[in-house]
Amino acid sequence: MKCQYCEKPATFHITELTEPSGPKIMHLCEEHARGFLQKESDSPVASVTNALAKQLQLGQSKKELAELDQKECPVCGISFFEFRNTGRLGCPYDYSFFEADLVPLLRNIHDAVEHVGKRPRRLAASADSQAEMIQLRREMEEAVELEDYERASEIRDELKRMERELSIPASDDDDASSSEGENQS
């Protein structure tokens, strides 16, 4: 379908329900959609179009989005394209690596960029140590593929050591259950 104002393909299809005569349907290219969504007016449509313009972030061109989709985390290997399709990041380091691209998205969705709410009781490993462990697992897989089993076993032992250091026993629940067991004897 073509834009109503030019010969470019219509990539935005907007339906206005403000007319008493019925819905007004518009088919616009990116350029004309930007103009339509950015125009200032006192109509009730203005607030909706401003929200839509904010959410769509019309500042990103198709070329910029294609470049962003190619960006890949050096730790876990997830691309921004994979994130956009699945809605999930691959590792904690992704928040740092894709930070500039995630902040506007998080602001649009949550109106904030910091977590406010419940957190797990046990202490989670730091993002750096988790990223290092992911990198080590990747190196271990590569060593196995290259049949360098000595190196793979060294990496496995290093991973086990890191996991032992990061594991913290739950103190509240274990103490309560062990004292109950002693009282029953």
Side-chain angles (χ1 to χ4, degrees), residues 11 36 49 55 57 85 119 139 152 181:
T11 54
F36 174 78
T49 57
Q55 191 169 8
Q57 290 186 346
N85 285 334
R119 296 182 189 274
E139 288 177 21

Side-chain angles (χ1 to χ4, degrees), residues 158-171:
E158 176 67 15
L159 280 167
K160 284 183 179 179
R161 183 193 62 74
M162 288 179 74
E163 287 171 354
R164 271 195 313 273
E165 287 177 3
L166 292 173
S167 65
I168 298 173
S171 56

